[in-house]
Amino acid sequence: MRPLLARRTRRRLAADAALLVVLAAFAVPLVWLLLASVDAGAGLAVQVPEKATSENFSAVLTDEITFTPMLNSLLLCGAATAVTIVCAALAAYPLSRFRSRLNRPYLLGMLFTTCLPVTAVMVPVYGLFVRVDLIDTLYGTALFMAAAQLPFAIWLMKNFMDDIPAVLEEAAWTDGASRMQALVRVILPLMGPGVGVVAIYCFALSWGNFFVPFMLLLSPDQLPASVSIFTFFGNFGQVAYGQLAAFSILYSTPVILMYALITRRLGGGFALGAAVKG
């Protein structure tokens, strides 16, 4: 009996040690980020600054470095997220409500498109954008980013929509609502957590996208924050680590705030009980 307990104890300790290693791998970069942002002489090493300072934040809080790129990012990612949610809801509705032999091949085909790297299609997309005069435009870049993340968003939206009972939609039809009205006024409000998940996924994916805006946006005053972060990397390996850390904290704030605002609804689940009873 004791050898068995000892073996279980060793396994538990080994599992705890592995989890601590994984935790350290995630925690150390975050600790460096916080410490370097208030260190005027920050480097690659994780070290407590001799004197905390706000010089790094003061240096990056300018229109050219932070405010204009952050505004461009909000416009770009907000537009891409809104377009993705609308198109995903309209595409997921027939896939969820109408049964067909083509549904599964269609969904698998869409899922396959997400496996293609963006670098594989960037050259023809660039040529197309030049031909249709969408190059160096925020709305054109937002449309492409929305199209790139739309297949997986449709998958997510359909899975959430499948959980909505069809009887609620049929009750709305009985009251004279059209299919579009039932979708907007009944289905989407009930799948609020699902819409929140899709919104967070799309916004975070767009917010961290570097390659697409780097290729499609040419004017410096239109570049988002994900591209303007290159300004902290100088020539010959010189990097302003303190300013880079301060800018990274500011750059991460909108996504964290969005997640914090939506996570309340995510924890509530689908409140379908009262709706079905009614």
Side-chain angles (χ1 to χ4, degrees), residues 10-30:
R10 287 195 299 269
R11 289 179 179 177
R12 185 172 65 252
L13 291 176
D16 293 341
L19 290 176
L20 288 176
V21 172
V22 174
L23 177 63
F26 282 95
V28 170
L30 297 178

Side-chain angles (χ1 to χ4, degrees), residues 172-195:
W173 297 342
T174 304
D175 293 336
S178 63
R179 288 190 178 271
M180 183 61 66
Q181 290 174 333
L183 173 64
V184 175
R185 298 181 181 180
V186 177
I187 298 178
L188 291 181
L190 289 175
M191 56 179 292
V195 176

Side-chain angles (χ1 to χ4, degrees), residues 31-117:
V31 172
W32 175 88
L33 194 68
L34 295 175
L35 295 178
S37 65
V38 294
D39 188 358
L44 282 175
V46 179
Q47 59 183 6
V48 179
E50 297 180 358
K51 182 181 179 181
T53 177
S54 60
E55 293 180 2
N56 295 323
F57 288 96
S58 300
V60 300
L61 286 175
T62 62
D63 290 336
E64 182 180 357
I65 297 177
T66 299
F67 295 120
T68 299
M70 291 285 278
L71 178 60
N72 292 337
S73 292
L74 290 173
L75 294 175
L76 182 64
C77 300
T81 301
V83 172
T84 302
I85 290 177
V86 172
C87 294
L90 295 176
Y93 179 75
L95 292 173
S96 175
R97 289 298 185 259
F98 299 101
R99 305 302 176 187
S100 172
R101 295 180 179 179
L102 299 178
N103 281 9
R104 184 173 179 80
Y106 181 75
L107 289 171
L108 292 177
M110 286 194 308
L111 190 61
F112 173 76
T113 60
T114 62
C115 301
L116 297 175

Side-chain angles (χ1 to χ4, degrees), residues 149-201:
Q149 60 198 10
L150 185 59
F152 194 71
I154 294 175
W155 263 84
L156 289 176
M157 194 76 76
K158 177 190 177 298
N159 290 334
F160 285 112
M161 198 172 292
D162 288 341
D163 294 332
I164 306 297
V167 293
L168 301 177
E169 188 178 358
E170 294 170 357
W173 297 342
T174 304
D175 293 336
S178 63
R179 288 190 178 271
M180 183 61 66
Q181 290 174 333
L183 173 64
V184 175
R185 298 181 181 180
V186 177
I187 298 178
L188 291 181
L190 289 175
M191 56 179 292
V195 176
V197 169
V198 177
I200 291 177
Y201 163 77

Side-chain angles (χ1 to χ4, degrees), residues 200 253-265:
I200 291 177
T253 301
V255 177
I256 296 175
L257 290 177
M258 181 182 179
Y259 176 79
L261 291 175
I262 297 181
T263 190
R264 297 180 180 178
R265 298 200 63 185

